[in-house]
């Protein structure tokens, strides 16, 4: 994969998405940044242009809507690296949820990843190079959040990414599911999940997550789990008895509050 080119990052104004934007701009990529908040996008883009001298285009769009997803898909024809980072969790259990909230979760966490990956791949395959990072989660390796449908969406992202990676690797295109654990971002606060009881050792740094994810993409690894502690966690959820995993998950999940409807990154 070429060291520079054009990269598109969704959910680019905060957290892991913003860390991807910073890293890629410093590596020499020109950027297309996507998020819902136009004012915040403009601010992030201005800082990156000043710091790196790279071209930074902004696209204020909501990938949770058909129109927003189409607008982003239309910009992917000449993109060398796609980062599907936009995503969110619901700060309520399934029994407290609604059809509208669950469908929005699927549109952002699942449908947008599929739609944008499919839009980016033909150009990458035609050029014989390119990369796609689909931001998933350690939560997707097991039902680690009782009552939450978020892990199910991330299980789909990981499985989908592995499948597509195997289909396009011989064509010069690399696809990686980036599966971080708890990372210090706005993610949990936006979802109304109280993480105050989570021990410090469980938290990852967003810049470190991005660094390891890009390294694994370039090594051709279809799944990237940043941090030794979470590699151990993933080994555990894949091999320990399911009954034990369910018991542990009740202790490590943050407590759910009640955010306003539709509050997401």
């Amino acid at each position: 994969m070429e060291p520079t080119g054009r990269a598109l990052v969704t959910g680019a104004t905060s957290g892991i998405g913003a860390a991807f934007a910073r890293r890629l701009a410093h590596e020499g990529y020109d950027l297309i940044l996507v998020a819902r908040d136009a004012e915040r996008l403009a601010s992030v883009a201005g800082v990156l242009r000043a710091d790196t001298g790279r071209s930074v285009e902004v696209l204020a769009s909501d990938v949770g809507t058909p129109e927003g997803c189409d607008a982003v898909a239309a910009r992917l024809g000449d993109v060398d690296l796609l980062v599907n980072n936009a995503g969110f969790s619901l700060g309520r259990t399934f029994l407290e949820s609604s059809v509208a909230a669950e469908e929005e979760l699927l549109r952002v966490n699942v449908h947008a990843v599929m739609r944008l990956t499919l839009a980016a791949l033909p150009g990458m395959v035609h050029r014989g190079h390119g990369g796609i990072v689909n931001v998933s989660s350690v939560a997707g390796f097991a039902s680690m959040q009782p009552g939450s449908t978020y892990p199910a969406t991330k299980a789909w992202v990981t499985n989908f990414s592995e499948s597509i990676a195997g289909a396009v690797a011989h064509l010069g295109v690399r696809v990686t599911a980036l599966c971080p654990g708890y990372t210090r971002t706005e993610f949990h606060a936006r979802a109304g999940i109280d993480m105050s009881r989570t021990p410090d050792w469980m938290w990852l740094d967003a810049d470190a997550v991005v660094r390891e994810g890009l390294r694994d993409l370039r090594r051709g690894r279809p799944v990237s789990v940043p941090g030794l502690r979470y590699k151990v966690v993933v080994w555990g959820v894949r091999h320990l008895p399911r009954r034990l995993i369910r018991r542990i998950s009740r202790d490590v999940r943050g407590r759910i509050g009640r955010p306003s409807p539709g509050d997401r990154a």
Side-chain angles (χ1 to χ4, degrees):
M1 194 170 68
E2 293 184 353
T4 57
R6 181 174 286 106
L8 186 147
V9 182
T10 68
T13 55
S14 65
I16 291 174
F20 265 111
R22 290 192 300 270
R23 177 83 180 189
L24 294 171
H26 282 285
E27 288 187 0
Y29 281 88
D30 292 328
L31 299 178
I32 304 169
L33 304 183
V34 178
R36 297 182 300 162
D37 189 331
E39 184 176 346
R40 198 170 182 185
L41 265 178
S43 175
V44 170
V47 170
L48 289 174
R49 292 187 194 106
D51 287 349
T52 68
R54 305 309 306 174
S55 169
V56 184
E57 178 184 339
V58 297
L59 178 55
S61 188
D62 184 352
V63 296
T65 67
E67 300 79 11
C69 219
D70 287 347
V72 179
R75 286 295 294 110
L76 285 167
D78 61 349
V79 163
D80 302 289
L81 177 61
L82 165 64
V83 180
N84 276 314
N85 168 73
F88 73 106
S89 183
L90 295 170
R92 67 204 71 154
T93 68
F94 187 65
L95 289 175
E96 298 172 317
S97 193
S98 66
V99 171
E102 295 295 334
E103 288 183 343
E104 183 183 23
L105 184 75
L106 290 172
R107 286 196 301 271
V108 176
N109 289 12
V110 173
H111 180 267
V113 173
M114 177 278 296
R115 175 78 173 86
L116 300 183
T117 298
L118 187 58
L121 279 176
M124 293 179 180
V125 169
H126 177 74
R127 293 187 295 273
H129 68 86
I132 298 174
V133 177
N134 293 324
V135 178
S136 186
S137 172
V138 162
F141 289 102
S143 54
M144 299 171 68
Q145 298 180 358
S148 171
T149 48
Y150 173 80
T153 68
K154 293 306 185 179
W156 184 92
V157 171
T158 301
N159 192 296
F160 168 75
S161 302
E162 285 192 272
S163 176
I164 303 305
V168 300
H170 70 289
L171 301 172
V173 180
R174 297 169 182 172
V175 180
T176 295
L178 175 58
C179 304
Y182 294 137
T183 305
R184 294 197 183 279
T185 67
E186 301 174 3
F187 180 85
H188 296 97
R190 283 177 177 268
I193 300 174
D194 179 7
M195 302 299 295
S196 60
R197 295 188 300 179
T198 306
D200 286 343
W201 67 265
M202 295 186 70
W203 290 102
L204 299 173
D205 173 73
D207 291 310
V209 166
V210 167
R211 184 168 60 249
E212 190 161 345
L214 288 173
R215 183 195 68 191
D216 286 343
L217 174 73
R218 289 157 183 167
R219 291 178 175 177
R221 294 177 178 172
V223 177
S224 173
V225 179
L228 177 60
R229 77 208 79 166
Y230 282 108
K231 288 179 173 63
V232 173
V233 169
V234 168
W235 184 93
V237 299
R238 283 176 161 174
H239 296 92
L240 292 176
R242 307 300 284 184
R243 182 180 299 177
L244 179 58
I245 296 302
R246 288 194 294 270
R247 182 177 301 172
I248 294 171
S249 71
R250 288 198 298 267
D251 297 328
V252 301
R253 189 184 181 196
R255 290 169 289 177
I256 297 177
R258 291 182 179 273
S260 59
D263 187 12
R264 66 175 172 85

